[in-house]
Amino acid sequence: MSLETCAESLRTQDPHRFGCMMAAAPADRSKLVTLYALNLELARAPLQSADPLLAEMRLQWWIDRLRAMGQGDQPPSHDLLSPLHDAWGDKAEAMVPLAEGRKRDCDRQPFDDPAQVEDYVNATAGSLMHLAASALGADADAYAAVSRQALGMGLASWLGALPQLQAWNMGLVPQIAPAAARELARSALLSLDAAADARRLVPRRAAPALAAPAATRAFLTSVADGLQDPLEPAPTISPFRRRAALARLALTGRWWV
């Protein structure tokens, strides 16, 4: 997978992050596009087998390759590992926690506590955003803002996918689902507010790593207020609205909502 193929995969499967990557400085794009393409592969790996052991073996393959790169090993010629190594070098080992955060998916078990969902989101969406933000110059001073934005956005994305997750037995146990979803939406809104309050600690260069999709706050508010059934598909965002949000990001550097 060349950089161009990584970008095309991202454009079709994760259009928001594709747009954010394109809003980044040209020198930063190779790191973002390979990181986000890896994230797609890690999310897919546990779902490629219904057998938990086989699913974890697929995920472990990626973990082993990332650790080997961290030890200075040149990866075998590979569609994604090769451009990933070119962009990140031995720093690719920092992506191991992102991969390990997906191990829970191998068991396909629902969550029975909203706190468990937050831990999962921090391990997956949180790890991803910290890697992207650090690559774009966010330092320790920005850590709290990045963490809060990652939790808010990650919960919004997870809630948006909840109908499909329920079908895969990877969402919430049915007894708590509606109430827990509302609680998670409220938690996400508080996290986004905290991130916005700390926005001055985030360098503008890092804005593409933190930008939320269009209508994130509106969706979370509707779930929190009981106006949107979290077990039904969320309203789709028009391409025009998505492009408008990305244009604002590119022009103003505003990532908070």
Side-chain angles (χ1 to χ4, degrees):
M1 188 182 297
S2 65
L3 285 177
E4 292 77 13
T5 307
C6 287
E8 180 60 19
S9 174
L10 200 61
R11 186 187 68 80
T12 57
Q13 299 175 59
D14 193 347
H16 171 70
R17 289 196 176 99
F18 172 80
C20 290
M21 179 273 296
M22 293 301 294
D28 293 328
R29 292 175 187 168
S30 62
K31 283 193 172 183
L32 287 186
V33 71
T34 51
L35 172 63
Y36 291 155
L38 174 68
N39 183 59
L40 290 174
E41 293 299 324
L42 296 178
R44 263 197 299 265
L47 304 179
Q48 292 177 323
S49 174
D51 184 322
L53 181 59
L54 292 177
E56 188 160 349
M57 287 174 63
R58 290 178 181 274
L59 197 56
Q60 189 64 43
W61 185 89
W62 289 99
I63 293 170
D64 292 344
R65 301 289 83 72
L66 294 170
R67 283 183 174 148
M69 280 193 270
Q71 295 168 6
D73 292 352
Q74 180 79 25
S77 180
H78 185 272
D79 285 349
L80 175 53
L81 291 177
S82 297
L84 184 76
H85 182 265
D86 290 343
W88 289 83
D90 61 6
K91 292 183 174 60
E93 187 173 16
M95 299 169 196
V96 168
L98 176 64
E100 290 180 332
R102 293 286 179 181
K103 284 187 175 180
R104 194 187 193 285
D105 294 345
C106 298
D107 294 328
R108 302 210 185 180
Q109 294 294 318
F111 295 92
D112 58 16
D113 186 333
Q116 295 174 353
V117 179
E118 294 198 14
D119 289 343
Y120 171 81
V121 167
N122 282 326
T124 53
S127 294
L128 181 65
M129 188 174 289
H130 276 293
L131 286 163
S134 295
L136 272 58
D139 58 17
D141 290 340
Y143 185 89
V146 175
S147 296
R148 302 311 295 174
Q149 183 74 356
L151 180 59
M153 280 180 54
L155 287 174
S157 177
W158 192 87
L159 288 168
L162 187 56
Q164 183 61 67
L165 293 173
Q166 292 296 106
W168 290 338
N169 199 40
M170 295 169 63
L172 295 162
V173 294
Q175 318 71 297
I176 71 164
R182 290 193 294 272
E183 180 180 337
L184 289 167
R186 290 190 289 269
S187 178
L189 289 167
L190 290 173
S191 291
L192 293 175
D193 288 343
D197 288 344
R199 61 186 179 274
R200 290 177 179 81
L201 299 175
V202 178
R204 176 165 176 164
R205 177 187 166 203
L210 279 74
T216 294
R217 181 172 289 276
F219 167 69
L220 289 170
T221 300
S222 67
V223 174
D225 292 346
L227 302 176
Q228 165 71 34
D229 184 347
L231 302 182
E232 293 294 327
T236 57
I237 305 302
S238 71
F240 172 80
R241 197 169 182 187
R242 182 182 296 117
R243 287 194 297 268
L246 291 169
R248 184 181 68 174
L249 168 66
L251 290 171
T252 69
R254 177 172 175 146
W255 53 264
W256 58 95
V257 295

